Amino acid sequence: MEDNEIEAESRSDSRAGAEDSNGEAAGRKPKISRKKMFTLVSTASVNFSSMICYSILGPFFPTEAEKKGVNQTVIGLIFGCYALCNLLGSLVLGKYIVQIGAKFMLCAGLFLSGGCTVLFGLLDRVPHGVPFILMCFIVRSIDAVGFAAAMTSSFAIIAKAFPNNIATVLGSLEIFTGLGLVLGPPLGGFLYQSFGYEIPFIVLGFVLILMVPLNIYVLPSYDATPSKDSFWRLFTLPKISLLCFLIFSMSSCLGFLDPTMSLFVIEKFHLPTGYVGLVFLGLALSYSLSSPLLGIVSDKMPNTRRWLMVIGGITAALGYCFLGPAPFLHLKSQLWLFVFMLALTGFSIGMTCIPTLPEVVKCAYENGFEDDLSTLGLVSGLYGAVWSFGTFFGPTVGGFLVEKFNFEWAAAAQGGLIFISVLFLGIYYFVEPCFRRPATTSVEENEERAPLLSNHI
């Protein structure tokens, strides 16, 4: 019965969106039902708790790992393996979200991730060298599967509950993502300095576990019929492939900072570990505060999405070149410039990433995918997998480049990767109208008939 009510609400939202686009209900104010409010509370708690646990490693784990005899490349691999397992988990769980159940997947993922966070805090008791490295890989890999389950189901549920306001809702929820990223590094650094290595992971791991009963209570169930569509068919659509390349480049540049930024800041600016977490605020605050506005702009003016992505990508590429700064710029590295570039990069990442998910969903529907939870699971799984591949590539290759060259050149290389992805997407958007022109009439006729058919049904 609950599932039927939710499905009816989603259909009502779709009809309301169609009416608003034709100007027939311009004065109508959308109402948020109790179930949808519970969905927002649930997914906000997932974003906040998951990201605060994910982000605590940055300020102090690289230093602690070096004490255990781990070099920079292996530290990058430890960060990167999380993303690789997240990638595999996102693909499998996104495909079978309907069979598993979105609500069960989310709650089970939270519990698994929280338990692994607690276990990671006990790894300082493991002997130096290979045993420590091996246990880091095992615990982080299992943690990644739990994180993939929670985030894949969360994205799919949001897209299902708010089909006409995906970017707005995601942008608003990124406040909690940013809040987790903001609080994680300084809180982790403070707890590490005050109580040692174990306490940050144990405390925040239990916070994540405590979110499980909350979500069991407040999150509605979302069910659907399994789809016959595949990730491969979705990924091979040209527009989605280019969007995936953009998502990959942006997540790579973020993942690159995890194992490298804290060591660079400590070495270059001689900051204590507790203050390193505050440096992370530059990126996280600008991203989380700008995301809601960017989401509203993306939903209210869908035609601006391409410009948001292209301009945001170019700005992010320039930000990474000035982050070091790159040696070819012949500028001196200064703390104020570093923090300013982080803030600019955070805003530009939001500008680029917030419109991508609704664009992927729209492209999937335009190419014959069913409008149901199964398709949203595929989209969410693909999005999570590509993002995870970037966060694997960034720390792994970035750690190698920092070790072989330096942070400045490695950051410039990340900026170059972003620029290439934006260039390809910009070229596609430039030539796209040339290929669509012959089919314009039939598409417009279908769009005009759609509200009529849905009203009869």
Side-chain angles (χ1 to χ4, degrees):
M1 185 68 178
E2 186 181 76
D3 299 336
N4 293 335
E5 292 175 2
I6 295 167
E7 186 69 26
E9 289 172 2
S10 297
R11 289 173 181 168
S12 176
D13 282 350
S14 298
R15 286 194 295 270
E19 290 174 357
D20 289 343
S21 64
N22 290 324
E24 296 175 8
R28 185 181 302 171
K29 293 183 178 179
K31 295 180 180 179
I32 299 180
S33 68
R34 185 167 59 93
K35 291 184 178 67
K36 289 187 177 181
M37 184 60 68
F38 283 165
T39 299
L40 286 175
V41 171
S42 176
T43 50
S45 71
V46 170
N47 284 22
F48 173 76
S49 56
S50 296
M51 295 313 299
I52 198 172
C53 289
Y54 172 80
S55 63
I56 60 173
L57 270 71
F60 62 88
F61 177 75
T63 305
E64 195 72 23
E66 285 186 334
K67 294 177 184 177
K68 290 283 190 177
V70 185
N71 61 37
Q72 184 68 50
T73 301
V74 176
I75 293 173
L77 287 171
I78 291 172
F79 279 89
C81 81
Y82 183 94
L84 184 61
C85 293
N86 200 332
L87 183 157
L88 298 174
S90 296
L91 289 175
V92 174
L93 296 168
K95 175 66 176 176
Y96 296 103
I97 188 172
V98 173
Q99 292 88 335
I100 297 172
K103 180 177 180 178
F104 176 80
M105 183 186 292
L106 188 147
C107 294
L110 281 178
F111 182 80
L112 185 61
S113 185
C116 287
T117 302
V118 173
L119 288 176
F120 202 82
L122 304 177
L123 294 184
D124 64 328
R125 305 183 183 187
V126 177
H128 288 53
V130 175
F132 176 80
I133 294 171
L134 186 62
M135 289 304 300
C136 283
F137 277 115
I138 292 173
V139 176
R140 286 286 284 174
S141 298
I142 299 173
D143 187 5
V145 175
F147 184 82
M151 298 310 294
T152 299
S153 54
S154 174
F155 279 149
I157 287 170
I158 284 297
K160 180 66 176 176
F162 302 93
N164 299 308
N165 303 100
I166 298 174
T168 300
V169 176
L170 284 179
S172 300
L173 290 176
E174 289 306 298
I175 294 177
F176 298 92
T177 300
L179 195 60
L181 290 171
V182 165
L183 293 179
L187 182 58
F190 170 76
L191 292 174
Y192 173 73
Q193 279 194 323
S194 303
F195 304 103
Y197 176 82
E198 296 181 0
I199 295 300
F201 295 100
I202 293 174
V203 170
L204 297 177
F206 275 110
V207 168
L208 199 61
I209 292 173
L210 289 174
M211 292 294 177
V212 175
L214 171 67
N215 283 279
I216 291 174
Y217 176 73
V218 304
L219 185 65
S221 298
Y222 289 84
D223 297 321
T225 304
S227 172
K228 295 181 180 180
D229 290 314
S230 66
F231 282 110
W232 182 248
R233 183 184 166 219
L234 184 66
F235 179 73
T236 51
L237 295 173
K239 183 178 180 180
I240 291 182
S241 295
L242 293 172
L243 288 171
C244 285
F245 185 25
L246 180 63
I247 295 165
F248 161 77
S249 66
M250 301 306 291
S251 62
S252 175
C253 74
L254 280 176
F256 159 76
L257 295 176
D258 286 334
T260 60
M261 191 174 82
S262 62
L263 296 175
F264 173 75
V265 169
I266 291 171
E267 178 185 347
K268 182 68 70 172
F269 306 115
H270 310 290
L271 294 180
T273 305
Y275 286 94
V276 173
L278 296 176
V279 176
F280 279 79
L281 296 181
L283 188 148
L285 273 178
S286 62
Y287 173 75
S288 59
L289 294 177
S290 62
S291 292
L293 175 62
L294 293 169
I296 292 172
V297 172
S298 178
D299 278 334
K300 297 296 184 183
M301 296 180 285
N303 291 332
T304 64
R305 289 175 186 164
R306 62 184 65 190
W307 297 111
L308 289 174
M309 290 186 287
V310 171
I311 295 172
I314 293 173
T315 307
L318 292 174
Y320 268 80
C321 287
F322 281 90
L323 195 60
F328 58 79
L329 294 174
H330 304 292
L331 296 174
K332 184 181 178 181
S333 182
Q334 300 181 65
L335 182 59
W336 72 266
L337 178 63
F338 187 85
V339 174
F340 177 73
M341 285 300 120
L342 281 179
L344 181 65
T345 301
F347 175 78
S348 59
I349 288 173
M351 196 174 175
T352 307
C353 292
I354 293 299
T356 53
L357 185 61
E359 278 291 288
V360 173
V361 172
K362 176 186 174 185
C363 184
Y365 291 158
E366 287 176 345
N367 286 274
F369 283 76
E370 295 293 330
D371 183 0
D372 59 13
L373 184 63
S374 183
T375 296
L376 295 174
L378 289 175
V379 170
S380 179
L382 179 63
Y383 190 97
V386 173
W387 185 271
S388 299
F389 183 54
T391 53
F392 167 76
F393 180 89
T396 305
V397 176
F400 173 79
L401 291 176
V402 169
E403 190 171 8
K404 295 299 179 183
F405 301 98
N406 54 38
F407 179 88
E408 291 87 343
W409 277 115
Q414 291 292 329
L417 179 65
I418 298 171
F419 181 77
I420 292 171
S421 67
V422 171
L423 178 64
F424 285 159
L425 185 64
I427 292 172
Y428 173 83
Y429 278 130
F430 182 75
V431 302
E432 183 186 24
C434 301
F435 293 98
R436 282 194 166 191
R437 201 168 291 146
T440 301
T441 304
S442 61
V443 170
E444 290 177 351
E445 288 175 356
N446 288 336
E447 289 178 350
E448 290 172 0
R449 292 191 188 107
L452 244 115
L453 293 173
S454 62
N455 286 339
H456 283 306
I457 292 171

